[in-house]
Amino acid sequence: MFRAIRRSFAEGVRGMVKNGLMTVTSLLVVTACIFVFGVFLMSILNINYMTSKMADEYQVDVYISKDVPVDNAQIGVFVDRGTEMDDAAYEEKLKNVETLIMGVPNVDISTIKYIDGATRLSEFVKDLSDEEKKAFENIDASVVGNSYSLRLEEGADEVETLRLLGEIEGVSKVMDGSDLYVYMAQLGGISTTVSSSKYDEIKENLKKEITEIPNIDTENIGFVDGVDKFKDFKSNLTPEELKDFEGLPEDLIPDAYAVRMKDLSIADETIAKLESLENVESVENSREFISVIDSLKNMVKKISVWIIVAFALVSLFIISNTIKLTVHNRRKEINIMKYVGATDSYIRGPFIMEGIILGLLSAIIAFFISQWTYQGIMTAISSAASGLTADLSFMKFGQIWIQIIGSYLILGTVIGAFGSSISVRRYLHV
């Protein structure tokens, strides 16, 4: 076997030397073909690299709500006592109101519960910070008022139901969970947003919930301070533009978590999960940008396959015709060898080896030309526009040379062997 390979190699080299001008011509043409293929290959590798890097660096801002987390489905129906009503009369009034509440459509009767002012006040105060609790130390429970707590049936028209509840005789006000919190906070004169201690707790809980979403890159979750972000935004404005922002609070922009995703193809699903988390005010993202990246990556994959196939066929055509000329010049020699009993593999071996050698030499020459060209282009771009290569994230040749030389050698070997085999086949039938 080794002797046959050695003989085929020697005969192949001898054939290339014998057909010197034709060999040089073939070498140049195949090298050019492989080089052009390499240009597309390097372009594809860089486009894939850039889109992957853009995808890796793409992030969404999950803005944290400073609204107090409340049970907004909980409805409070307050019953006014007045100043001249005795206990018995008020008890009768409460019973009448409760009966009328039960008759309102969409009210879940099983959830109706009476809450006196003292109980509602204590339930509200227990979740406040120590500093905020001090504001309620001298608040009289009678100021809060007595009420009924209830929930609506699933799918109920909340606006219409609240209107009907508010029209019940004896009802002073009807509020949902958010309105209830604002009402109670204003009684003590505290902020209607969360306290700093509660806010820290919210931030920690939200971060934990974000990390539990499967598609989130948990190692790259950053915190964005809203105040600093607003300051950075204003620092880039002209004095004339800054006038539009005079009087606005420094915390106009909420704090946020900057998160990245592992797989952009399921970005919509991931963003929906982020938006559904409690204490998330909004999620700032660019679905259009995600779509562009995803489409570009898919397009590059499809184009790269067709480009490789196209240039493989072109190279195959060129090298097969080159070997065909060589075989044609030696057709009489092949015929004589067939007549004296030489096997097809014996005859075909040198020509296939010649094609392989031609393909390998072309691949090596094309590789060095590609390296020189690629590095020259990168140097020229770097000199013409400093920072552009960093922004576009071009790959260094050292990152792609293995793919390039590997592709070239495989392409040259396969096409050389296959092209030679096709060319010599017709002359073996004598």
Side-chain angles (χ1 to χ4, degrees):
M1 179 180 176
F2 290 108
R3 186 164 61 180
I5 293 174
R6 187 167 61 247
R7 171 194 163 273
S8 296
F9 181 80
E11 289 292 330
V13 172
R14 190 177 297 112
M16 291 177 64
V17 174
K18 185 177 180 180
N19 298 278
L21 183 60
M22 182 60 68
T23 299
V24 172
T25 303
S26 302
L27 200 61
L28 292 175
V29 172
V30 176
T31 297
C33 191
I34 294 178
F35 171 73
V36 175
F37 162 78
V39 170
F40 280 93
L41 178 61
M42 288 184 286
S43 300
I44 290 167
L45 289 173
N46 272 285
I47 292 173
N48 274 325
Y49 177 74
M50 283 188 280
T51 53
S52 296
K53 191 162 186 180
M54 282 191 290
D56 290 340
E57 294 178 351
Y58 175 76
Q59 64 182 31
V60 297
D61 290 333
V62 182
Y63 288 101
I64 308 167
S65 173
K66 286 189 176 181
D67 294 334
V68 177
V70 296
D71 182 3
N72 212 43
Q74 194 74 33
I75 308 298
V77 181
F78 286 79
V79 182
D80 188 20
R81 176 166 184 165
T83 56
E84 299 179 356
M85 188 175 289
D86 59 25
D87 291 343
Y90 187 58
E91 286 293 330
E92 185 64 26
K93 182 178 182 179
L94 287 172
K95 290 179 181 179
N96 291 335
V97 169
E98 183 177 4
T99 301
L100 292 171
I101 289 175
M102 291 180 179
V104 174
N106 301 323
V107 170
D108 186 348
I109 299 175
S110 64
T111 64
I112 299 175
K113 181 176 66 173
Y114 173 75
I115 301 178
D116 59 59
T119 302
R120 189 174 287 280
L121 181 62
S122 63
E123 288 182 352
F124 177 80
V125 171
K126 70 180 182 180
D127 293 325
L128 300 179
S129 65
D130 293 338
E131 188 65 29
E132 290 173 323
K133 287 178 180 178
K134 294 178 182 178
F136 291 85
E137 289 177 350
N138 299 318
I139 297 293
D140 190 339
S142 62
V143 177
V144 178
N146 303 319
S147 61
Y148 283 101
S149 176
L150 58 89
R151 291 177 179 271
L152 305 184
E153 293 179 347
E154 187 175 348
D157 184 347
E158 181 177 338
V159 175
E160 177 63 16
T161 307
L162 294 183
R163 185 186 69 80
L164 293 173
L165 289 170
E167 291 178 351
I168 294 176
E169 185 178 354
V171 172
S172 59
K173 48 184 169 284
V174 180
M175 292 179 283
D176 62 14
S178 298
D179 292 335
L180 278 170
Y181 185 88
V182 173
Y183 168 68
M184 297 298 295
Q186 289 175 342
L187 288 177
I190 65 172
S191 172
T192 56
T193 59
V194 296
S195 64
S196 57
S197 58
K198 188 69 176 179
Y199 185 53
D200 289 337
E201 180 184 332
I202 288 173
K203 287 191 293 185
E204 287 301 316
N205 290 337
L206 180 57
K207 184 176 181 180
K208 182 180 178 182
E209 290 174 347
I210 291 174
T211 59
E212 291 173 354
I213 296 177
N215 193 36
I216 296 298
D217 183 357
T218 56
E219 296 182 0
N220 286 294
I221 298 179
F223 180 75
V224 181
D225 188 282
V227 174
D228 292 341
K229 188 174 182 177
F230 192 35
K231 286 180 181 178
D232 291 341
F233 169 76
K234 291 192 293 184
S235 67
N236 295 318
L237 301 179
T238 63
E240 189 66 27
E241 292 171 329
L242 281 172
K243 291 181 181 179
D244 297 331
F245 296 90
E246 289 180 356
L248 294 177
E250 291 298 317
D251 60 350
L252 178 67
I253 299 178
D255 297 332
Y257 283 112
V259 301
R260 296 178 182 176
M261 288 175 270
K262 298 175 183 176
D263 184 3
L264 287 185
S265 65
I266 54 173
D268 285 346
E269 179 184 332
T270 305
I271 290 170
K273 289 181 179 179
L274 288 170
E275 291 173 335
S276 68
L277 295 178
E278 190 178 13
N279 299 119
V280 170
E281 181 171 307
S282 63
V283 178
E284 184 181 274
N285 68 92
S286 175
R287 281 180 166 86
E288 294 79 8
F289 179 73
I290 296 173
S291 179
V292 168
I293 293 177
D294 207 37
S295 298
L296 186 58
K297 291 181 73 175
N298 291 332
M299 182 181 68
V300 168
K301 287 179 181 179
K302 293 177 182 178
I303 291 176
S304 62
V305 172
W306 286 110
I307 286 175
I308 291 172
V309 171
F311 276 96
L313 292 175
V314 171
S315 300
L316 179 63
F317 175 78
I318 292 172
I319 203 167
S320 63
N321 278 280
T322 300
I323 298 297
K324 189 181 295 182
L325 292 174
T326 303
V327 174
H328 181 75
N329 291 335
R330 299 172 64 182
R331 63 189 182 282
K332 292 182 180 179
E333 180 184 341
I334 293 173
N335 290 339
I336 293 171
M337 294 173 69
K338 283 290 293 182
Y339 284 128
V340 298
T343 62
D344 288 350
S345 60
Y346 182 86
I347 298 171
R348 188 186 291 117
F351 293 103
I352 293 177
M353 185 61 70
E354 184 177 338
I356 292 174
I357 295 171
L358 187 62
L360 290 175
L361 287 175
S362 298
I364 293 171
I365 295 171
F367 172 76
F368 286 110
I369 295 174
S370 299
Q371 181 183 22
W372 177 78
T373 305
Y374 188 89
Q375 291 176 339
I377 291 173
M378 290 299 102
T379 301
I381 293 176
S382 180
S383 301
S386 59
L388 181 60
T389 52
D391 294 335
L392 295 180
S393 303
F394 287 113
M395 300 178 76
K396 295 180 179 179
F397 193 79
Q399 294 176 272
I400 60 174
W401 75 270
I402 294 179
Q403 294 100 309
I404 297 298
I405 189 64
S407 301
Y408 284 10
L409 291 175
I410 292 173
L411 182 65
T413 302
V414 173
I415 292 178
F418 191 60
S420 301
S421 179
I422 293 174
S423 300
V424 77
R425 184 181 299 171
R426 60 174 294 190
Y427 294 100
L428 293 177
H429 302 291
V430 294

